[in-house]
DNA sequence: GCACGATATATCGATCTGATATAATGAATC
DNA sequence: GATTCATTATATCAGATCGATATATCGTGC
């Protein structure tokens, strides 16, 4: 049921085809999901998305022995490609492509305002914001801002409660500052959204 | 294998006895672990800690009908307390106390410098920092600072890579700013650690 | 030739999440 | 004093995630 990883993977596949290993790197380098997502999440998620018809495997890219093919290596490559069961071969990357149903699902997931609670999923949406219409973007930003303002208030309250020692209080105060920083980020995004003199999105495909 | 929740629970029990429901609230309000930890984590974790001998259940606090006890309510309470199997009763809070072995385990977990990678576990340690010796505190802070500096460098690099659109870049830049904020927090803590004119910790216990 | 690090997929057990079930308590309303 | 309702409280389930490990190929350097 975790839509976050589904959204992230589909978002990457909107851009171009990818295989699992690459998806992990892109999650880190382009979508801001550091603390590397484990392979134990990636591969099951891809299998799930395929099962649901949102992505399809577009033939394992079996690396042929470059140009000078000795008969032996050629034969081995053929053997590997023909082998019946073991899931398109040991090795040989399995490249995935998003389907039409996958695109629909992506549009659904990215514009769903229900799951906007945590920083991680919000950042992910922003990293994919070029796929949203301007009005949806503003809507999500405003809702996130409201959430953060509420949270800031709560954290301020907590930081004031008396039975905290200095360290615990310091943690709460830092937490509040982090929320403030995110609020000012959202405000910047909203500002550049409203007077979109310098649009943040390049052409979305 | 997740030591983080174990550390958090043992940390709370160092202070005083708690039952599961209360632990969840304290995790949020005193240890800065918002985005409420689910009960599906808390109760199994307590069972695990009990199985390993780090905590013990100190009799379910069966709420007796306050002062004016009608015979009926008294009888019901007795019946509930005597019922044989179902794990100290439906309802009636199960209060846990930390054992000596639990204290040892806590000391071990909180001073382990290996698992200092993410913000969440670092914040948790800081919320419990009064249980650390000054030198261990400084050690953890310095190591965290080094981690963050490395990370800041990486994020700066990523924000500069060319094939990002404006939104993705904005995410990366905000991420870098968040790391900077945490670095300055760590620096503040280190400073007040070194000239501990106003010690952050009140009496530990 | 061959050692080694990077690329790549897959799977396992332990754990975590989000949802749901169950039930007692306390307070307000009638 | 009956009834509704939110809060307190424990427990469990399916599905998802993590961290570790296994396996194998590719590319580079020696």
């Amino acid at each position: 049921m975790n839509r976050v990883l589904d959204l992230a993977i589909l978002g990457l596949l909107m851009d171009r085809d990818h295989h699992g290993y690459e998806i992990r790197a892109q999650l880190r380098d382009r979508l801001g999901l550091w603390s590397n997502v484990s392979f134990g999440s990636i591969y099951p998620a891809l299998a799930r998305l395929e099962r649901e018809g949102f992505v399809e495997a577009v033939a394992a890219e079996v690396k042929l022995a470059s140009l000078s093919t000795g008969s032996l290596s050629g034969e081995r490559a053929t053997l590997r490609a023909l082998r019946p069961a073991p899931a398109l071969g040991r090795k040989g990357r399995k490249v995935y492509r998003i389907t039409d149903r996958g695109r629909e699902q992506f549009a659904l997931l990215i514009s769903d305002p229900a799951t906007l609670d945590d920083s991680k999923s919000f950042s992910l949406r922003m990293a994919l914001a070029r796929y949203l219409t301007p009005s949806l973007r503003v809507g999500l930003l405003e809702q996130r801002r409201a959430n953060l303002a509420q949270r800031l208030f709560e954290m301020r309250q907590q930081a004031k409660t008396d039975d905290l020692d200095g360290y615990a209080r310091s943690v709460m105060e830092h937490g509040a500052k982090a929320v403030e920083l995110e609020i000012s980020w959202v405000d910047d995004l909203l500002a550049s959204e409203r007077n979109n003199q310098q649009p943040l999105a390049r052409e979305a495909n």
Side-chain angles (χ1 to χ4, degrees), chain A:
Chain A
M1 285 296 175
N2 189 3
R3 275 60 222 281
V4 180
L5 186 54
D6 288 12
L7 174 59
I9 292 178
L10 291 176
L12 286 175
L13 293 179
M14 286 289 285
D15 205 35
R16 62 180 177 80
D17 299 351
H18 286 288
H19 55 92
Y21 191 83
E22 199 179 19
I23 282 173
R24 190 171 108 120
Q26 299 264 311
L27 253 32
R28 173 176 20 85
D29 298 338
R30 293 169 61 90
L31 297 191
L33 300 181
W34 45 75
S35 78
N36 278 346
V37 181
S38 82
F39 291 121
S41 299
I42 304 273
Y43 291 113
L46 282 169
R48 187 173 67 234
L49 289 169
E50 189 177 22
R51 199 168 58 240
E52 294 170 323
F54 298 142
V55 307
E56 57 190 3
V58 278
E61 221 181 67
V62 177
K63 202 117 183 187
L64 296 173
S66 53
L67 289 177
S68 58
T69 34
S71 63
L72 184 68
S73 58
E75 191 182 20
R76 276 206 281 112
T78 305
L79 271 173
R80 216 183 302 122
L82 290 181
R83 203 182 306 157
L88 289 174
R90 316 299 262 156
K91 188 65 207 272
R93 336 149 134 173
K94 213 161 156 186
V95 177
Y96 290 93
R97 168 173 302 160
I98 192 168
T99 64
D100 287 343
R101 286 198 54 213
R103 275 171 225 278
E104 285 169 35
Q105 176 73 354
F106 174 73
L108 207 105
L109 291 179
I110 198 177
S111 54
D112 175 15
T115 57
L116 210 50
D117 25 316
D118 63 308
S119 284
K120 205 177 75 176
S121 71
F122 175 69
S123 288
L124 175 62
R125 273 152 204 270
M126 281 305 109
L128 297 170
R130 67 182 156 160
Y131 294 113
L132 286 166
T133 62
S135 70
L136 275 173
R137 269 199 294 267
V138 171
L140 289 180
L141 283 165
E142 280 171 346
Q143 201 199 314
R144 179 62 180 165
R145 206 202 181 284
N147 287 354
L148 287 171
Q150 172 61 25
R151 172 112 107 162
L152 180 58
F153 174 77
E154 287 164 9
M155 297 205 70
R156 283 268 143 79
Q157 293 299 106
Q158 276 170 23
K160 260 183 272 179
T161 52
D162 35 322
D163 61 341
L164 293 176
D165 70 304
Y167 289 107
R169 195 182 310 282
S170 179
V171 168
M172 294 299 170
E173 279 161 6
H174 169 67
K177 278 184 195 163
V179 174
E180 276 181 335
L181 182 66
E182 193 172 335
I183 288 178
S184 73
W185 177 45
V186 170
D187 283 344
D188 288 352
L189 287 172
L190 273 170
S192 74
E193 206 64 52
R194 278 172 180 143
N195 63 330
N196 51 357
Q197 302 294 57
Q198 314 111 330
L200 283 172
R202 294 193 307 211
E203 293 304 281
N205 236 1

